[in-house]
Amino acid sequence: MRVKNSDLRNFLSEMKLLFSVRASSRYSKWVLPEYPFDSQLLTLSRLYRESRKLYLAQGGSFASRVCSVPRSLSSHDLFKDEIEYTPIFSELAWFVENHQEVLDSDLFIKQLSSLSAISVFHEQNHRILWRLLPPPPIEEKDFCRYLNFAESLVIVLDLVLGDEIGGRLSPVFEKYKIIYRPGGRRQVVF
């Protein structure tokens, strides 16, 4: 069946690319059930694996339940040692195979995308840093500077991950918020 909608066609093409990435069973003990393409990222990236291992070794855990971006960014959730993620991998796989059964595919894609807007890699790196950095200062101005510093370190790790995955795959992983920064050439502007 030929797909007429260009957004749907692009989505299906990008999902086909991500689903084609080989996933090794060697890393199955670290895979988050139903987190989109987690097994593929564990296979592709040593940095992704090492971050996961370090987070778990520090006592971190994961919870598979629907979680919005605003809630994940709340101060209460930001510092806890449990990262929540929305389990949608089966929904993605189902939609790729059955998109013709969905009345409004654009709406369905938008809904799926809004549910999967949290990068576990990014969040686990924050939790790792909270344990490595000294405690945050009390004064609000200093606390904000501390958070900005920690965020900059995590963003650097996001950039390195994107580069490690490569310019072919990382933009697609980034588009669906599985990672936060694509790899490839960047123009630095001062």
Side-chain angles (χ1 to χ4, degrees):
M1 174 181 198
R2 185 167 163 77
V3 179
K4 294 179 184 175
N5 178 327
S6 64
D7 290 339
L8 175 59
R9 188 172 39 250
N10 289 339
F11 178 85
L12 294 173
S13 174
E14 291 161 346
M15 287 297 117
K16 181 179 178 183
L17 175 64
L18 295 183
F19 276 107
S20 74
V21 174
R22 184 185 64 83
S24 173
S25 60
R26 182 180 350 173
Y27 309 114
S28 61
K29 65 182 174 185
W30 298 309
V31 172
L32 302 179
E34 288 296 314
Y35 183 66
F37 307 104
D38 194 50
S39 185
Q40 287 84 347
L41 284 168
L42 286 164
T43 301
L44 284 171
S45 169
R46 181 173 180 247
L47 177 61
Y48 193 86
R49 285 189 305 274
E50 293 300 319
S51 175
R52 176 71 49 82
K53 288 192 287 190
L54 184 55
Y55 174 69
L56 292 171
Q58 290 180 341
S61 64
F62 298 95
S64 173
R65 53 177 93 92
V66 175
C67 182
S68 67
V69 172
R71 185 163 62 86
S72 77
L73 296 176
S74 71
S75 59
H76 176 273
D77 284 357
L78 192 58
F79 288 98
K80 71 179 187 177
D81 284 330
E82 180 182 68
I83 298 171
E84 295 180 356
Y85 66 92
T86 304
I88 65 162
F89 190 69
S90 292
E91 284 298 305
L92 287 171
W94 176 85
F95 182 71
V96 167
E97 293 298 317
N98 300 285
H99 60 275
Q100 66 280 1
E101 295 179 26
V102 176
L103 186 60
D104 187 342
S105 59
D106 289 340
L107 179 60
F108 192 85
I109 292 168
K110 190 179 289 187
Q111 289 170 336
L112 278 178
S113 297
S114 72
L115 288 173
S116 65
I118 297 167
S119 167
V120 166
F121 176 78
H122 183 92
E123 295 307 319
Q124 72 192 18
N125 287 330
H126 270 297
R127 280 27 173 232
I128 291 167
L129 279 173
W130 300 148
R131 292 187 182 264
L132 297 175
L133 293 173
I138 305 288
E139 189 177 320
E140 184 177 351
K141 180 180 168 187
D142 294 334
F143 181 72
C144 288
R145 234 183 9 247
Y146 176 90
L147 290 178
N148 286 335
F149 173 69
E151 184 67 19
S152 69
L153 294 175
V154 173
I155 288 172
V156 167
L157 290 170
D158 290 337
L159 291 167
V160 173
L161 175 64
D163 286 343
E164 186 179 20
I165 294 169
R168 181 173 161 257
L169 292 170
S170 67
V172 181
F173 280 115
E174 186 266 341
K175 181 177 180 179
Y176 297 102
K177 305 299 183 221
I178 300 161
I179 66 171
Y180 282 161
R181 304 288 185 278
R185 294 177 175 230
R186 288 175 196 78
Q187 182 178 1
V188 179
V189 179
F190 293 98

